[in-house]
Amino acid sequence: MKRKEYEKALEPLQVELNQVARWLEHTGKRLVVLFEGRDTAGKGGVINAIAETLNPRRTHVVALAKPSERELGQWYFQRYVPHLPAAGEITLFDRSWYNRAGVEKVMGYASPDQVKAFLRQVPVFEQMLVDDGILLLKYWLAVDQAQQEERFAERAKDPLKRWKLSPIDIKAREKYADYGRARDAMFKATHRPKAPWTVVDFNDQKRGRLTLIRHLLDQLPDHPVPRSRITLPPLGKKPGKERYTGPVKPIATAY
């Protein structure tokens, strides 16, 4: 999909996202969106497309690092709970508590008993969130291995993207089928009517972003909140210029 075509299609979706954000603020509703999928699937890109035009004070992107020693000794869900939204807010999880059923299981960071306990507990945990009024959406971004390999190679060559390529990502290349089996087991245990999974094809990331955002918008009530008109009165005088009378001055223009 060409960039101009993508941007033209994205703009009206972002307008709708802003309408949703105003509705959430007006009603005090809370929205949680989980983005899961294989490495390079495009989680960060779609999260950026959603969040870039929204109020950052009410839209929070959560991408947690590996747990600390203290967090390893906590209830598994404990470190995620503080990031849940308050009234009128949106939380977008770039990977979530489902790490335990994915990377932790496949890479051996969690024991079989821990994974089993997680799959038993997570439907209860999510039911509690939904029962408390949180709007919960869960997305799996799907990408074929050939496409994944192209993106790994691109990251390895691009100095601006190399930070995205970790030692775990390199090891994960050998476990594509294992991740698929872990995903299927996760879906079987956690795809519930009140907290269903939605799979989106992200082999074409631009089309995937548009498809996911359209689906997200369609899951939420269509209750537009009237926007008050803002009228800027005439300034009434000549526009002022920045002037500095003290010791601090702007640095020289570099370009």
Side-chain angles (χ1 to χ4, degrees):
M1 192 176 194
K2 300 296 184 182
R3 169 64 61 176
K4 287 187 177 181
E5 180 186 2
Y6 164 71
E7 291 177 347
K8 183 178 180 180
L10 177 62
E11 184 175 357
L13 296 178
Q14 290 181 324
V15 171
E16 288 190 59
L17 285 168
N18 272 271
Q19 292 172 347
V20 165
R22 288 198 303 276
W23 173 76
L24 291 167
E25 184 175 358
H26 179 74
T27 60
K29 297 289 187 182
R30 295 160 290 165
L31 175 62
V32 172
V33 189
L34 311 185
F35 298 86
E36 297 288 343
R38 300 176 186 278
D39 297 314
T40 79
K43 295 178 288 295
V46 70
I47 289 172
N48 288 340
I50 292 169
E52 66 179 348
T53 64
L54 300 180
N55 183 346
R57 295 181 181 87
R58 292 190 169 273
T59 303
H60 309 291
V61 177
V62 179
L64 299 183
K66 68 179 183 179
S68 66
E69 285 298 320
R70 183 174 186 277
E71 288 171 332
L72 288 172
Q74 295 175 342
W75 175 49
Y76 177 73
F77 296 97
Q78 189 168 337
R79 76 188 193 118
Y80 295 99
V81 170
H83 300 283
L84 294 173
E89 294 181 348
I90 301 170
T91 299
L92 308 173
F93 280 97
D94 185 347
R95 296 197 185 277
S96 66
W97 43 85
Y98 281 102
N99 274 340
R100 173 132 297 178
V103 63
E104 291 187 18
K105 175 182 179 180
V106 174
M107 302 306 293
Y109 301 142
S111 70
D113 285 345
Q114 287 176 317
V115 174
K116 185 178 179 180
F118 169 80
L119 293 176
R120 184 178 67 251
Q121 293 171 2
V122 70
V124 179
F125 174 68
E126 292 178 350
Q127 186 65 52
M128 291 171 65
L129 301 182
V130 173
D131 287 347
D132 199 57
I134 287 178
L135 302 168
L136 176 63
L137 299 174
K138 305 188 302 190
Y139 289 100
W140 177 271
L141 283 54
V143 59
D144 295 334
Q145 192 169 21
Q147 185 63 48
Q148 185 185 47
E149 283 294 295
E150 288 184 19
R151 294 174 190 172
F152 276 139
E154 179 187 6
R155 289 182 179 184
K157 293 178 182 178
D158 188 342
L160 301 181
K161 294 182 178 180
R162 203 166 293 152
W163 64 270
K164 295 183 178 182
L165 199 57
S166 70
I168 296 176
D169 297 333
I170 303 300
K171 293 180 181 179
R173 292 175 60 237
E174 305 169 3
K175 297 181 179 292
Y176 186 89
D178 293 335
Y179 270 100
R181 286 188 286 270
R183 175 207 60 212
D184 291 344
M186 181 181 76
F187 285 171
K188 184 177 180 181
T190 64
H191 180 66
R192 300 297 174 88
K194 294 292 183 68
W197 281 98
T198 299
V199 177
V200 184
D201 184 346
F202 261 71
N203 283 296
D204 182 324
Q205 289 185 329
K206 296 184 183 69
R207 292 186 189 279
R209 290 173 201 160
L210 297 173
T211 300
L212 189 151
I213 295 171
R214 179 70 268 160
H215 182 274
L216 185 157
L217 290 166
D218 289 344
Q219 307 316 299
L220 301 173
D222 185 15
H223 297 306
V225 176
R227 171 180 270 179
S228 58
R229 290 183 175 273
I230 299 176
T231 303
L232 297 177
L235 193 58
K237 58 183 178 180
K238 185 178 179 180
K241 292 186 177 181
E242 290 273 24
R243 300 186 185 282
Y244 305 87
T245 57
V248 181
K249 300 291 188 293
I251 64 173
T253 302
Y255 298 96

